[in-house]
């Protein structure tokens, strides 16, 4: 299979009472169990080996680039991002491709030294490189991106990311991404939207007739109006899918496909786009009375509220940043905040104090404190 295979094999002679060996390579492309059979043909018959492996999520949030379809002369250029799960910096030591027409370039900060752009702060997720592949003719391309990471808590680790691109002219409808990822969503988060961009590589306009989700999920809805997709060499927005986590029946991973139907004259064209979301149950709990301030005076005196947070998730939450909007920073500020702040499951910790100083007895103030964590963003209203 593409996930389990053997090293290049050379015919060997094994003397009586002797032995030989060969390598079996497992390079998972998805999370889950994989099973394959390896047949070794010998002069006395075939020997069958069953090989089993389990793909797990990368703590660095690395992913394979597979299932990609692009039209001829269109460049595929995904970002390669690395997440640092540690409390100290993570360093990308090197990155290179298997060659051919698969190349690497810095994502945007081309003037920044590579050493700086490849250092990832604690709990940060950072784009470190962009892969580019231009399919100049119809074919299937398979390549690999190899990268090496260094951290004081682990030995240097090497990772291999498969890249599989189908360059085709057998269809004329393409999506800008190989999969739609909502990321991590809390059960009580506001609805999250992802836009769908399609490209028509044919000579005539296409009518986008239908967009649906399979299997049907109460949490997922489609915002779509039938439209005409013109023939052009760029992607255009044709609709949105909306994930409402509060309508989920359970936490965990939710996966499926978004199905698009277009018409090329009287001929239907079908496109399926995988989607995924990880729904988590929990929050950062706080005391509501600490978000309100009563103004007295003049004279005006500072009011300081210590602000404990309780992690009700079943996983560790790391508070990376906290801030009020710039317009209210003369009135509200944070004291004693030293990120990153680590909260274990069910732990309560005072991460900072909120400092308030009024400048008017007739003041009415409504604003939000935004918390950035390794799980998601939290917005806490203040008044």
């Amino acid at each position: 299979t593409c996930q389990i295979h053997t090293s290049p094999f050379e015919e060997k002679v094994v003397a009586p009472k002797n032995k030989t060996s060969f390598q079996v390579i497992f390079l998972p492309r998805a999370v889950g169990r994989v099973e394959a059979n390896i047949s070794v043909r010998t002069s006395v018959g075939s020997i069958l080996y069953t090989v089993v492996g389990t793909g797990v999520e990368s703590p660095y949030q690395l992913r394979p680039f597979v299932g990609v379809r692009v039209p001829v002369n269109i460049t595929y250029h995904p970002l390669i991002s690395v997440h640092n799960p540690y409390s100290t910096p993570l360093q990308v030591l090197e990155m290179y491709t298997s060659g051919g027409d698969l190349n690497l370039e810095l994502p945007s900060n081309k003037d920044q030294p590579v050493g700086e752009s490849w250092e990832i702060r604690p709990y940060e997720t950072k784009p470190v490189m962009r892969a580019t592949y231009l399919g100049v003719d119809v074919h299937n391309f398979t390549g690999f991106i190899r990268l090496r990471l260094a951290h004081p808590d682990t030995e240097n680790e090497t990772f291999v990311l498969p890249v599989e691109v189908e360059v085709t002219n057998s269809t004329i409808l393409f999506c800008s991404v190989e999969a739609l990822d909502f990321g991590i969503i809390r059960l009580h988060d506001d609805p999250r939207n992802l836009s769908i961009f399609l490209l028509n590589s044919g000579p005539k306009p296409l009518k986008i007739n239908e967009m649906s989700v399979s299997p049907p999920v109460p949490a997922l809805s489609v915002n779509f109006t039938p439209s005409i997709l013109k023939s052009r060499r760029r992607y255009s927005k044709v609709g949105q899918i909306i994930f409402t986590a509060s309508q989920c029946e359970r936490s965990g991973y939710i996966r499926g496909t978004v199905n698009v139907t277009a018409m090329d004259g009287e001929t239907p064209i079908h496109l399926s786009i995988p989607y995924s979301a990880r729904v988590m149950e929990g929050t950062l709990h706080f005391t509501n009375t600490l978000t309100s301030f009563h103004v007295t005076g003049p004279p005006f005196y500072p009011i300081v509220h210590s602000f404990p947070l309780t992690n009700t998730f079943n996983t560790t939450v790391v508070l990376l940043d906290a801030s009020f909007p710039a317009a209210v920073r003369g009135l509200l500020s944070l004291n004693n905040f030293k990120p990153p702040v680590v909260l274990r499951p069910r732990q309560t910790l005072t991460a900072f104090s909120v400092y308030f100083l009024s400048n008017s007895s007739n003041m009415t103030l409504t604003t939000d404190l935004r918390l950035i964590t390794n799980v998601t963003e939290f917005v806490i209203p203040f008044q």
Side-chain angles (χ1 to χ4, degrees), residues 101-123:
D101 294 321
L102 181 62
N103 298 298
L104 297 172
E105 62 183 33
L106 290 175
S108 59
N109 49 347
K110 295 183 178 180
D111 296 331
Q112 185 177 10
V114 171
E116 295 179 14
S117 64
W118 281 10
E119 183 176 279
I120 305 167
R121 293 178 299 173
Y123 308 106

Side-chain angles (χ1 to χ4, degrees), residues 130-174:
R130 184 185 292 278
T132 62
Y133 179 78
L134 174 62
V136 296
D137 54 26
V138 174
H139 69 290
N140 291 333
F141 171 81
T142 299
F144 301 92
I145 298 170
R146 185 181 296 268
L147 69 158
R148 193 157 60 95
L149 305 177
H151 187 268
D153 291 347
T154 63
E155 296 182 0
N156 292 353
E157 296 181 278
T158 299
F159 298 87
V160 178
L161 310 180
V163 180
E164 297 176 357
V165 182
E166 179 187 356
V167 184
T168 179
N169 58 11
S170 63
T171 185
I172 57 176
L173 187 62
F174 298 88

Side-chain angles (χ1 to χ4, degrees), residues 3-4 26-35 52-59 62 64 253 255:
Q3 301 190 78
I4 298 177
F26 177 43
L27 183 59
R29 284 154 167 75
V31 174
R33 188 176 187 271
V34 179
E35 183 173 323
V52 177
T54 301
V56 299
E57 284 201 43
S58 166
L62 299 169
Y253 286 94
R255 297 183 175 93

